[in-house]
Each structure stands twice: as structure tokens, then as C-alpha cells.
Amino acid sequence: MKTTNNVFRLFLKGKAGVVGLVILSAFILVAVFAPLISPYPPYERVGTPFEQPSIKHLLGTNDIGQDILSEIIYGTRISLLIGILSAGVSLVIGTIVGMTAGYLGGKVDAVLMRAVDLNLVIPMLPLMILLAAFLGPSFWNIVLVIGILSWASPARVIRSQVLTIKNKGYVEAVEVLGAKPFYTIVKHILPPTMSIIISQLILMSSRAILTEASLSFLGLGDPTQKSWGIILYYAQARSAFLTDAWLWWILPPGILITILVISFAYIGNTLEEIVNPRLRRNVGK
């Protein structure tokens, strides 16, 4: 509890982290209360195609007469869900690999780290495009594609933390008493590593949201879901760039993606500075 309070106190001193948390909280509230905030159902035709912004439709309508503001509000849900779930999948894999490699060491560490190196040097976006195209467009396919191809970076960070913790006196004492590796990892190595894991979850979420938008923009997202990337895809497919419609159909979701990714980055970087003593001097600036 004392450690948690210290982390919270240091986090509040980081201005960037607080700003990011406020912005992220606003997006979460929009996602949760989308049915109450949205002026129209996002899948219904409520106007004529390509209406310009007006009091009735603040961001105009798309090519089939759906309210774009309503689409964007509901798209907050899907973009956040895909980002957090994808980051969760990659972090589960990365944590298992990092913990195993760091604790067991030797040949196991060498093999797993070579797999990490291989994952890091392969261009991820082209591989994600190929895998997403092979599996087909759906919500869960996008989550899995992003998750299973993004685990290497957190695995390397977690392994470094485990290498430090496993040399602590209390961990060595538990090993001498005959504790099994699984027990030692779960009871004595995982808890002090949680702060690193949480910071990696935040950072990976921002990358996953940006990746989902990229894949959806290329037509590989779930067309039955209203995500910001899908909104951009249909705007591009319906030639919004060639008309004034790009001002209210393309610009708003693009700006929102940027703001949300920046908010995750602010929070993640602040947490990383807190858990890494070498970076802690930057907190509060």
C-alpha cells in the first residue's frame, strides 16, 4: 500500500501524466455514455448524403446520410476496446516470455531472446496487413493480429526487470528453501514487476489504437463496427478528399486518434519515469 501511494503521489507531480489521465478519462466517459451523448443512432440514415455541418448535424452526414458525430462518438468505444484488448494480449505473451527468460536464464533465455530479436527486426505493419487479410476482417481478428505481433517490446523490458529482482536476497532465500520456479515467479517476482507491466500496458494501448486505425483505413477492419479507422476508410473510399467533406468527415476522427494516442503516451511515459529511478528526475517538470 505504501508503494502504491508513493507511485500515485509521484504520478500527480508529473504534469504530462495528469493531463493524459484527464484526456483519457474524458474519452472513457464518452465511450461509456455514448447512447446518452450521441444525437442519433450511428447506423441509421438520419439525413441526406453529404450534408454539410449544421445545427441538426454538427459534423454533417456521410455518403449514405448517417450522422458523422454519432459515428465518431460510438467509434470511441471500438477504438478504445481494440487498443486495450490488443495491448492486454501482447502484454500477457510478453510477460510470460520476459518472466521465463529472465528467471530461468541460460539456453531458455537465449532462445526466447532470439525470438524477441526476430520479432523486433521484422517490419510489423506489412506482416499485420498480411495476417489480417488472411484471417479476414473482424473485431477479434484485429485484436489477435495486433496482440500476437506486438509482444516483443514489453517482453524485453520485463526481462530486464526480472534480472534485477531475481538477484535480491529474499528471492535467493526462497530458492534455497526449495521453492519451485512457478511459485517464486508468481509470489516474489511478479508483484514488484506490476508497475512496469502497467506502464507497458498503457504504452502498448496507444500503439494498438494507432495500428487499428491504420489497418482499418486500409480496409482490413471490421466493417460492421464503427471505429475511427473504419470511419476514415469509408471517407477515403467515398472520395471525401476530393470535396470539402474531408473537413468534417476525415479531420475530426484523425484529430481524436492523435489526441488519444498522445494521452496514453503521456500517462505511460510518466509511469515509466516513476518506476525507473534513472528517469525519475524528469517527473514534475
Side-chain angles (χ1 to χ4, degrees):
M1 181 64 70
K2 185 176 179 181
T3 302
T4 303
N5 291 335
N6 289 337
V7 170
F8 182 72
R9 177 174 53 82
L10 288 170
F11 182 84
L12 292 179
K13 287 184 178 181
K15 296 177 182 178
V18 173
V19 170
L21 184 60
V22 170
I23 295 173
L24 179 58
S25 300
F27 278 111
I28 292 173
L29 288 175
V30 170
V32 172
F33 296 105
L36 301 177
I37 300 172
S38 176
Y40 302 99
Y43 296 96
E44 291 186 9
R45 297 181 179 181
V46 293
T48 57
F50 292 110
E51 283 190 33
Q52 295 188 5
S54 62
I55 296 177
K56 187 178 180 181
H57 303 289
L58 295 180
L59 291 179
T61 61
N62 62 16
D63 61 308
I64 59 174
Q66 295 173 335
D67 184 70
I68 293 175
L69 177 59
S70 302
E71 286 188 301
I72 290 174
I73 290 173
Y74 273 86
T76 308
R77 285 182 163 184
I78 303 301
S79 294
L80 274 173
L81 269 177
I82 289 179
I84 294 173
L85 290 175
S86 300
V89 171
S90 65
L91 202 59
V92 168
I93 299 173
T95 299
I96 293 173
V97 172
M99 290 275 181
T100 304
Y103 183 76
L104 296 181
K107 292 182 179 179
V108 173
D109 181 35
V111 171
L112 291 177
M113 285 303 100
R114 295 300 75 76
V116 168
D117 293 339
L118 180 63
N119 186 283
L120 290 174
V121 299
I122 295 176
M124 280 297 104
L125 187 56
L127 184 58
M128 287 181 181
I129 291 172
L130 288 174
L131 188 54
F134 174 75
L135 294 176
S138 79
F139 176 90
W140 289 109
N141 284 348
I142 290 294
V143 169
L144 291 175
V145 166
I146 298 173
I148 63 177
L149 295 178
S150 305
W151 56 269
S153 180
R156 183 181 289 275
V157 174
I158 292 168
R159 170 184 174 272
S160 299
Q161 183 73 359
V162 172
L163 288 175
T164 301
I165 295 174
K166 80 171 188 177
N167 293 321
K168 300 287 185 180
Y170 67 90
V171 175
E172 294 178 347
V174 170
E175 291 173 339
V176 170
L177 292 174
K180 295 183 178 180
F182 181 78
Y183 175 87
T184 304
I185 291 174
V186 172
K187 292 294 185 179
H188 299 285
I189 294 181
L190 181 60
T193 313
M194 284 305 299
S195 55
I196 290 284
I197 293 175
I198 293 172
S199 68
Q200 288 297 305
L201 175 64
I202 298 296
L203 292 172
M204 293 304 300
S205 295
S206 68
R207 298 173 191 171
I209 289 170
L210 198 56
T211 303
E212 183 276 330
S214 301
L215 293 175
S216 295
F217 181 74
L218 295 172
L220 298 173
D222 188 346
T224 65
Q225 301 288 346
K226 294 289 186 181
S227 74
W228 292 337
I230 288 293
I231 294 172
L232 291 173
Y233 165 72
Y234 280 113
Q236 182 271 336
R238 301 301 185 264
S239 303
F241 284 107
L242 302 179
T243 67
D244 290 339
W246 71 271
L247 289 170
W248 59 84
W249 197 357
I250 294 174
L251 202 58
I255 291 174
L256 290 175
I257 290 170
T258 303
I259 293 174
L260 182 57
V261 168
I262 289 174
S263 71
F264 272 112
Y266 278 170
I267 297 171
N269 288 335
T270 301
L271 287 173
E272 207 167 37
E273 290 172 353
I274 291 171
V275 300
N276 189 339
R278 291 174 294 180
L279 301 175
R280 191 172 297 176
R281 63 180 181 275
N282 295 324
V283 176
K285 292 185 178 181

